[in-house]
Structure formats: C-alpha cells, structure tokens
Amino acid sequence: QVQLVESAGGLVQAGGSLRLSCAASGSIVRINAMGWYRQAPGKQREFVAAVTRSGSPDYADSVKGRFTISRDSAKNTVYLQMNSLKPEDTAVYYCAADPLWSLRVGAPNYWGRGTQVTVSS
C-alpha cells in the first residue's frame, strides 16, 4: 500500500502564493506519477498537475503559467508551488499517485486526505 500525506493548506489573498507538499510512504516503488487534484464546493474533482518519476510535468490549462510542480525522489515528496492565486482556485487539494505515467488515465490508485486552500478576493 501507499500512504500520501499532504501539508496544511491555508488562506491567502488573491494574487498571493502558497506551496503544498505531499510525502509518500509505504510501497513507493509502485509509484510513477504523483500530483494533485482539487475539488471546489459543488463541483467535480479535477486534475491540477502531475509529475512522473523521470520529472516530466503535466498541467491543467487552468493553472499553466501559475503553478509549478516538482518532485524530490530522495524524499518521496512532490511539491506544488501556486502563484498568482485566484478565488476560483479555492478548493480542497488532494495529493494523488499512480503506477502509470499519467494521473489523467482513469482515477489514480492512491489518494491523500486533502487539504483546504482558500483564496480571498
């Protein structure tokens, strides 16, 4: 099994920045892609960003140019640097991981519990 633990989110003003982290433990050899989904109130969970074991990033169009995903394989940790935040980025952010190279092919196998990010206008 794989366990994913997210860092605390927070409250930030529009235009501000926030960094999330997610540490993986357990059967980490099973993991290729790691990244993030988010779910806003009343909306479906949506893909945000992911990075493969080799370091190839993938971003949703809505966050390209504002969010940066990175991975520290030695620490089994993935980071999401969020800049130029907008109120519409408000959501619960879930760390996700999967043996595949992408988090967009079906639902990821492994999930964190989620962390709240709130962007005020």
Side-chain angles (χ1 to χ4, degrees), residues 19-107:
R19 188 175 86 151
L20 301 179
S21 65
C22 171
S25 61
S27 300
I28 56 176
V29 293
R30 298 182 181 183
I31 297 174
N32 188 341
M34 285 185 72
W36 301 87
Y37 274 69
R38 68 186 181 186
Q39 188 167 20
K43 294 188 177 181
Q44 288 190 328
R45 194 172 296 189
E46 64 176 4
F47 171 78
V48 176
V51 60
T52 65
R53 189 184 295 154
S54 62
S56 297
D58 182 20
Y59 297 98
D61 288 343
S62 59
V63 306
K64 275 182 184 176
R66 301 188 298 123
F67 291 11
T68 302
I69 192 166
S70 60
R71 184 168 177 168
D72 185 336
S73 295
K75 296 182 178 179
N76 303 313
T77 299
V78 64
Y79 303 93
L80 185 68
Q81 178 66 43
M82 304 183 289
N83 298 330
S84 302
L85 282 162
K86 304 175 182 179
E88 51 263 44
D89 293 316
T90 295
V92 177
Y93 284 70
Y94 295 91
C95 182
D98 197 85
L100 294 178
W101 57 272
S102 172
L103 290 185
R104 303 211 206 204
V105 181

